[in-house]
């Protein structure tokens, strides 16, 4: 069951062939985790979506309140009989049909889809997870790169490259040759008591879980958070590397080229993150 502009339908072919999200990537999306009817980090998802719509000069409907988004999400979760389980929810917001590059219709539409997840809380996967740099194409260090738009060609091509080379993931570089993020999440490095992540100004995704971890790290007396550009040469000198997103939580990287990594800080942060999730329920 999908939710298209408030109407629940089993028909997955509902969207028009001339949908602007399909034709021009004139769309944004949010991926949200819902646990037993509880929308995790709802406020952060909502404000990121609204800010992103403004950046793309979309006309935000008066009805698009936080409560409206929450109800639409939970309505779709319930229609898929997942209210008592854990679900991955994807909201896509697009400008309605009309025009070519220049939109002729200011109205926006949305579609919400849901799939089930196995785990209620975040688990640490310590199995082999090897990454390398993807250097065929680069991320632009600007505001548009920080949004979750439908323009994800570099992530798609990078994922194909990773699969062809038996890699679990790849790290993306920006045009300044700084390491920005992974194909599916933000990147954190640990060296001693310093935890480092690229700044938003480098073009990394303005991740919701990135924000949660930054808030957690700032409360830890034994660690210092640093938001600075990351050189590829740093990757083999750190103790830990891990990737974050709202579905997986924290994914430790086990190997980059000849370097292997520990998971001490990742385990600590995962414990703190799960406490935060439980307290918000």
């Amino acid at each position: 069951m999908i939710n298209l502009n408030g109407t629940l339908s089993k028909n997955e072919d509902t969207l028009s062939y001339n949908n602007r999200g399909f034709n021009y990537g004139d769309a944004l999306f949010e991926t949200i985790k819902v646990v037993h009817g509880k929308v995790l980090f709802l406020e952060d998802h909502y404000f990121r979506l609204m800010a992103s719509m403004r950046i793309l000069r979309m006309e935000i409907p008066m009805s698009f309140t936080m409560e409206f988004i929450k109800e639409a999400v939970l309505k779709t979760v319930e229609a898929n009989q997942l209210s008592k389980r854990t679900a991955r929810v994807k909201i896509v917001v697009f400008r309605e049909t009309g025009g070519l590059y220049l939109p002729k219709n200011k109205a926006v539409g949305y579609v919400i889809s849901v799939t089930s997840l196995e785990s209620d809380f975040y688990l640490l996967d310590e199995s082999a997870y090897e990454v390398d740099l993807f250097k065929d194409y680069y991320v632009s260090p600007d505001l548009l790169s920080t949004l979750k738009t439908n323009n994800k060609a570099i992530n798609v091509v990078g994922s194909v490259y990773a699969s062809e080379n038996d890699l679990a993931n790849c790290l993306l570089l920006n045009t300044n040759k700084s390491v920005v993020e992974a194909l599916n999440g933000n990147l954190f490095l640990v060296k001693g008591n310093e935890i480092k992540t690229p700044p938003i100004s480098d073009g990394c995704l303005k991740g919701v879980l990135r924000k949660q971890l930054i808030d957690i790290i700032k409360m830890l007396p034994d660690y210092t958070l640093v938001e600075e550009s990351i050189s590829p040469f740093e990757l083999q000198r750190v103790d830990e590397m891990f990737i974050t997103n709202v579905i997986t939580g924290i994914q430790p990287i086990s190997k980059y080229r000849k370097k292997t990594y520990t998971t001490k800080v990742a385990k600590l942060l995962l414990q703190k993150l799960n406490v935060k999730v439980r307290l918000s329920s």
Side-chain angles (χ1 to χ4, degrees):
M1 301 286 285
I2 63 167
N3 184 334
L4 178 63
N5 295 327
T7 301
L8 293 166
S9 171
K10 291 182 180 179
N11 185 358
E12 294 185 358
D13 300 320
T14 309
L15 293 180
S16 168
Y17 73 93
N18 57 1
N19 176 275
R20 292 189 60 82
F22 170 71
N23 278 275
Y24 305 112
D26 191 5
L28 297 158
F29 69 94
E30 284 289 322
T31 307
I32 300 173
K33 190 170 185 177
V34 178
V35 180
H36 293 232
K38 169 69 177 181
V39 182
L40 300 188
F41 318 126
L42 171 63
E43 186 173 291
D44 291 320
H45 280 293
Y46 175 75
F47 285 118
R48 180 173 69 173
L49 179 60
M50 295 302 105
S52 299
M53 290 177 72
R54 289 190 184 97
I55 291 168
L56 288 193
R57 298 180 183 272
M58 288 182 170
E59 191 169 278
I60 301 174
M62 293 293 289
S63 61
F64 267 37
T65 63
M66 192 185 307
E67 189 61 31
F68 173 84
I69 298 295
K70 178 182 178 181
E71 288 180 2
V73 166
L74 294 181
K75 179 181 178 182
T76 315
V77 169
E78 184 178 356
N80 285 275
Q81 301 181 334
L82 292 173
S83 295
K84 295 182 179 179
R85 295 182 60 189
T86 300
R88 177 186 186 274
V89 177
K90 185 174 183 179
I91 307 173
V92 182
V93 177
F94 49 86
R95 247 182 291 249
E96 292 287 14
T97 300
L100 299 175
Y101 287 146
L102 176 64
K104 296 297 185 183
N105 190 342
K106 292 185 178 181
V108 299
Y110 66 90
V111 61
I112 303 174
S113 57
V114 178
T115 54
S116 62
L117 293 173
E118 293 299 320
S119 177
D120 292 348
F121 293 99
Y122 294 117
L123 303 174
L124 198 74
D125 182 359
E126 294 189 77
S127 57
Y129 199 93
E130 184 176 355
V131 305
D132 204 346
L133 296 175
F134 181 60
K135 297 185 286 186
D136 290 2
Y137 306 101
Y138 300 96
V139 174
S140 177
D142 57 36
L143 196 56
L144 285 180
S145 297
T146 72
L147 310 182
K148 296 195 79 170
T149 70
N150 277 22
N151 298 287
K152 291 296 180 183
I154 189 171
N155 303 75
V156 172
V157 178
S159 295
V160 173
Y161 172 87
S163 177
E164 290 174 345
N165 289 276
D166 296 321
L167 299 167
N169 210 325
C170 281
L171 306 181
L172 297 175
L173 299 164
N174 66 16
T175 51
N176 298 324
K177 305 303 187 291
S178 295
V179 182
V180 176
E181 60 193 355
L183 292 168
N184 65 339
N186 292 106
L187 180 68
F188 286 79
L189 311 184
V190 182
K191 178 67 174 177
N193 294 332
E194 182 179 276
I195 303 175
K196 189 173 183 180
T197 193
I200 296 298
S201 57
D202 273 5
C204 70
L205 178 70
K206 195 174 182 180
V208 166
L209 204 82
R210 175 186 184 274
K211 180 180 182 299
Q212 311 308 315
L213 284 191
I214 285 175
D215 290 344
I216 290 170
I217 294 166
K218 287 180 177 178
M219 299 294 290
L220 299 177
D222 295 332
Y223 292 93
T224 301
L225 175 75
V226 177
E227 291 185 70
E228 287 181 357
S229 298
I230 293 174
S231 163
F233 301 107
E234 292 181 57
L235 301 181
Q236 297 186 73
R237 297 200 296 263
V238 298
D239 306 316
E240 288 185 48
M241 289 204 297
F242 52 84
I243 300 161
T244 65
N245 64 55
V246 293
I247 301 301
T248 303
I250 299 173
Q251 173 60 59
I253 293 171
S254 63
K255 185 179 180 183
Y256 166 73
R257 299 186 178 176
K258 294 182 179 181
K259 172 72 176 183
T260 58
Y261 304 93
T262 61
T263 59
K264 175 186 172 184
V265 175
K267 288 178 180 177
L268 171 65
L269 292 176
L270 192 76
Q271 291 173 354
K272 301 289 186 182
L273 178 62
N274 278 325
V275 169
K276 188 172 187 176
V277 169
R278 289 188 177 96
L279 291 176
S280 67
S281 301

